[in-house]
Amino acid sequence: MQAIIDACKAGRLNAVPAVVISNNGDSRALERARTEGIPGYYLSGTTHPDPDGLDQAILDALVRHKVDYVALAGYMKKLGPKTLAHFRGRILNIHPALLPKHGGKGMYGIHVHEAVIAAGEKESGVTVHLVNEEYDRGPILAQVRVPVLPGDTPETLAERVLIQEHILYPATLEKIATGEIVLSEEK
């Protein structure tokens, strides 16, 4: 998220972050949003025990802040059907591997890098994709490859992948902003 904010502030991304929503009340994302003067909301199963109510609260916050595109950056929960429907084809996520490999439920953070190394992959990378109802199954918009080096641990691989995440996500968002990548409503 900070890489996206920094790209906006530096003029490398022609966008304005409108709102930050986190499912973790103590997240660094909310802290960073406050520091940057971006409205932030903690919305979760704790604040909204009914899944439909949570979905509606997320949708309401996004609509209230006139969001055009939703960029997930560390948001760890599946979005609800109302939010998915309203923003269909306009919700993006970043994944620390070359999808379709090493994606799906439970495949986040260090778990992804552990799986890549356990599978004996020679390369990993970063994928920016559209979000749909299934974890990590939406259309791929951009990827960058990162070699798996001899002696890599999940942690060393994660460090190199993260560097590329911070480059690829804002660059992909800028390509959307300039029309170089055209998003169409996914069916």
Side-chain angles (χ1 to χ4, degrees):
M1 182 190 88
Q2 191 65 52
I4 293 169
I5 292 169
D6 291 346
C8 291
K9 288 170 46 176
R12 294 188 317 273
L13 173 53
N14 185 17
V16 177
V19 64
V20 171
I21 298 172
S22 178
N23 61 307
N24 177 348
D26 297 322
S27 73
R28 286 189 7 209
L30 290 175
E31 185 180 309
R32 289 176 176 177
R34 281 189 291 277
T35 299
E36 299 289 345
I38 301 167
Y41 298 92
Y42 164 52
L43 301 172
S44 73
T46 301
T47 63
H48 295 78
D50 172 47
D52 290 335
L54 175 58
D55 184 17
Q56 189 65 55
I58 291 170
L59 177 58
D60 289 347
L62 294 170
V63 170
R64 183 171 49 254
H65 291 281
K66 299 179 171 76
V67 168
D68 293 318
Y69 297 95
V70 177
L72 301 178
Y75 191 80
M76 304 306 292
K77 300 290 183 181
K78 216 176 211 188
L79 293 173
K82 292 176 188 173
T83 302
L84 287 170
H86 186 89
F87 288 98
R88 183 160 311 280
R90 297 182 291 141
I91 303 172
L92 295 88
N93 188 35
I94 190 158
H95 187 76
L98 296 174
L99 292 176
K101 289 184 175 183
H102 308 294
K105 187 173 183 174
M107 293 303 287
Y108 60 89
I110 203 71
H111 304 297
V112 175
H113 307 296
E114 290 168 344
V116 166
I117 290 173
E121 302 285 357
K122 299 294 182 213
E123 64 181 4
S124 187
V126 180
T127 302
V128 177
H129 65 95
L130 288 177
V131 172
N132 61 18
E133 291 79 9
E134 297 180 65
Y135 284 112
D136 301 326
R137 303 299 272 172
I140 293 170
L141 301 175
Q143 289 185 315
V144 65
R145 298 179 184 290
V146 175
V148 177
L149 302 176
D152 256 342
T153 65
E155 292 78 14
T156 59
L157 180 57
E159 287 175 18
R160 288 197 322 284
V161 167
L162 184 62
I163 290 167
Q164 296 304 315
E165 287 184 58
H166 290 169
I167 296 167
L168 185 64
Y169 211 1
T172 303
L173 292 169
E174 177 61 11
K175 286 179 180 181
I176 293 166
T178 63
E180 188 174 335
I181 294 176
V182 177
L183 301 180
S184 60
E185 189 169 298
E186 183 188 19
K187 302 297 178 206

